[in-house]
Amino acid sequence: MHQFIDGHFRMGSGDDAKRVTPVTGEIAEIIRYANTGDVDVAVASAKRAFDDWSRWTPGERSDAIQRLATELSCRSDELAAVETAQTGKSLRLSAGFDVPGTVDNATFFAGAARHLQGLAAGEYGAGGTSMIRREAIGVVGSIAPWNYPLQMAGWKILPAIAAGNTIVLKPSELTPGTSLLFAETVKAAGIPDGVVNIVTGTGAVVGEHLVRHPDVAMVSFTGSTSVGRHIMGVASATAKRVHLELGGKAPFLVFDDADIEAAAHGAVAASVINAGQDCTAATRAYIQSSVFTEFTARVAELMNQVVLGDPADPRTDLGTLITHAHRDRVSGFVERARGYGARILAGGHAPGGELSAGAFYRPTLVVDVAQDSEIVREEIFGPVLTALPFNSDDDGIVLANDTPYGLAASAWTHDLGRSLRAGRELQSGCVWINEHIPIVSEMPHGGFKASGFGKDMSSYSLEEYTNVKHVVMNGEQTAHKTWHDIIFSKQ
Ligand code: NAD
């Protein structure tokens, strides 16, 4: 059963759909989707639960989320296995990154729940004492993508409920498995029915109805920029708060003083992780000309060493992409680039033999492409890295920023001035120096430009899920306040 509504698992009332395993192309399960009526029931349940949950003390909510963290931790192996089965990502990634990251997130938000603070308590105007309250918003409608299904469920659910909201989450219809396991841990942790609801279905039916729903006070969306733009438009009809985490096309800037061995390892790891289906993945390498050949040769060498195979096998470095159709889309970018003169220094094809039935694609390095070519400009969301040379530092920064996106970027250098400049001038929500990919629960994740707005993780995201209220109390018992002179001139 793929719906979790008001504390119970149930069948959806919508259409049946086949979920296919990306490793073999075989049907893994039939999912009965939710329909708009199921969304209405889930929202009503979240609305009912809000009255009580929003009144729990921060300490009570913290205890419940800590129990949730423990439940998640106890079920780590199962969560990792389901995450790998539904996405095709390697078990090493699920078990070493997705699951522990989510447990750590839960532990962080258990603590953060006790630290929601207003800033003011004082007299800022004559006779009035002001205070700032940070209040839960109400029912949050969240929509998540398929690339890190468990982590996305955590990023959406945890700050929302820590701040006292209730939530209806729609996972990607391709990957509901670990969101539903997450719901089981919510139940086991004793979080009241209705605080967390999961509805599984398509974006067009279930997602859009959630965004449109008048009782949903805020929409939190992670996904592509095109769908994010559409959602923002739909949400405008009810003028609800929108939080958007969208696409990326992260630059990877290598200056001539960088440790090339470290940069090459960093580039391969950061472009291949999760088969490149990572919104912060390194996608555009810009390399200072004098080290271009050395860097690209080493990256190609390292990419060729990446072992593709059964995602459940611990020896596998890289599993599949999410679907065969997506693999073909990624391959299409590379083939069209070849057509306009690109050279492929590594990969550029799906593996044959026993892996040919799966949605695999080899790590790929593409050179001799123009800055304005499709493969450099568009989000591919596959294990494909382009590399272009640059001459002056100014040119490197300009090329890195020459994109509609602004989610993440990295610069590789030992020079303090270059590091500071990169941190200052690269236009993205995260800038790494001599690193690319790692994130931590304490620090915010979110974009600039067409990568969206709003922050996930950290206390910044907790604040996203609150309304700021100014309460002012006037203790003077006089009928005529000083400012009334403006209105009552004759008194
Ligand atoms: P997508 O935009 O196609 O879908 C995301 C979610 O939106 C899915 O649950 C989908 O069912 C739903 N959806 C689709 N159409 C909808 C509609 N009309 N109304 C409401 N919901 C709708 O994205 P995807 O292919 O699942 O994921 C890949 C994208 O996600 C990439 O662009 C990637 O960069 C982005 N992403 C961003 C971040 C971030 O933190 N910025 C993190 C992960 C993924």
Side-chain angles (χ1 to χ4, degrees), residues 142-148 152 155-156 170-174 201-211 221-228 230-231 234 244-249 277-280 322 326 379 381 405 407 445-447 451-452 456:
S142 283
I143 298 175
W146 45 257
N147 60 337
Y148 291 108
M152 293 302 112
W155 288 16
K156 298 295 172 207
K170 190 199 90 62
S172 167
E173 57 273 39
L174 298 175
T202 63
V205 176
V206 172
E208 196 143 336
H209 192 66
L210 192 56
V211 175
F221 170 79
T222 297
S224 60
T225 296
S226 58
V227 174
H230 175 72
I231 282 177
V234 173
L244 299 177
E245 299 287 355
L246 309 178
K249 189 76 182 172
Q277 302 163 125
D278 181 310
C279 49
T280 62
I322 188 70
H326 185 57
E379 189 181 38
F381 230 50
Y405 297 107
L407 190 58
H445 167 91
S451 293
D456 284 333

Side-chain angles (χ1 to χ4, degrees), residues 81-393:
V82 173
E83 195 73 327
T84 284
Q86 66 181 353
T87 59
K89 69 175 74 185
S90 75
L91 189 60
R92 290 221 314 274
L93 180 62
S94 300
F97 184 64
D98 300 59
V99 176
T102 305
V103 172
D104 188 66
N105 241 246
T107 308
F108 171 79
F109 281 110
R114 303 183 84 142
H115 290 278
L116 253 185
Q117 288 169 352
L119 274 182
E123 290 69 44
Y124 299 88
T129 299
S130 291
M131 66 165 134
I132 295 292
R133 294 169 55 86
R134 277 202 172 268
E135 297 184 349
I137 296 171
V139 178
V140 176
S142 283
I143 298 175
W146 45 257
N147 60 337
Y148 291 108
L150 175 64
Q151 294 207 68
M152 293 302 112
W155 288 16
K156 298 295 172 207
I157 292 170
L158 294 163
I161 66 170
N165 302 282
T166 56
I167 186 166
V168 179
L169 170 75
K170 190 199 90 62
S172 167
E173 57 273 39
L174 298 175
T175 54
T178 42
S179 300
L180 293 159
L181 282 181
F182 195 111
E184 286 183 18
T185 64
V186 164
K187 183 105 181 151
I191 292 174
D193 293 351
V195 172
V196 175
N197 303 272
I198 311 284
V199 287
T200 302
T202 63
V205 176
V206 172
E208 196 143 336
H209 192 66
L210 192 56
V211 175
R212 223 177 267 287
H213 203 294
D215 289 336
V216 170
M218 169 178 175
V219 168
S220 168
F221 170 79
T222 297
S224 60
T225 296
S226 58
V227 174
R229 286 193 177 113
H230 175 72
I231 282 177
M232 203 169 164
V234 173
S236 71
T238 41
K240 60 188 49 145
R241 185 182 298 195
V242 178
H243 168 120
L244 299 177
E245 299 287 355
L246 309 178
K249 189 76 182 172
F252 187 100
L253 195 54
V254 182
F255 291 100
D256 55 13
D257 69 302
D259 178 332
I260 297 303
E261 188 63 6
H265 275 84
V268 175
S271 60
V272 168
I273 186 167
N274 209 32
Q277 302 163 125
D278 181 310
C279 49
T280 62
T283 58
R284 298 178 292 131
Y286 297 104
I287 317 299
Q288 211 142 25
S289 299
S290 60
V291 293
F292 183 81
T293 307
E294 181 189 354
F295 174 84
T296 50
R298 187 64 178 134
V299 167
E301 201 172 20
L302 291 171
M303 279 186 166
N304 287 333
Q305 291 170 14
V306 172
V307 176
L308 276 64
D310 176 0
D313 185 334
R315 289 166 301 182
T316 294
D317 297 326
L318 180 61
T320 67
L321 283 85
I322 188 70
T323 59
H324 293 71
H326 185 57
R327 190 267 319 271
D328 294 346
R329 180 180 171 276
V330 169
S331 163
F333 277 103
V334 176
E335 290 315 311
R336 289 191 294 280
R338 235 191 269 271
Y340 51 73
R343 273 188 309 135
I344 314 298
L345 299 189
H349 58 86
E354 59 187 23
L355 298 184
S356 55
F360 292 94
Y361 198 74
R362 283 224 54 96
T364 298
L365 178 62
V366 182
V367 298
D368 291 351
V369 281
Q371 173 67 8
D372 63 358
S373 58
E374 170 199 65
I375 200 164
V376 176
R377 299 210 71 79
E378 290 192 26
E379 189 181 38
I380 300 171
F381 230 50
V384 178
L385 180 69
T386 60
L388 276 79
F390 69 89
N391 291 320
S392 70
D393 289 15

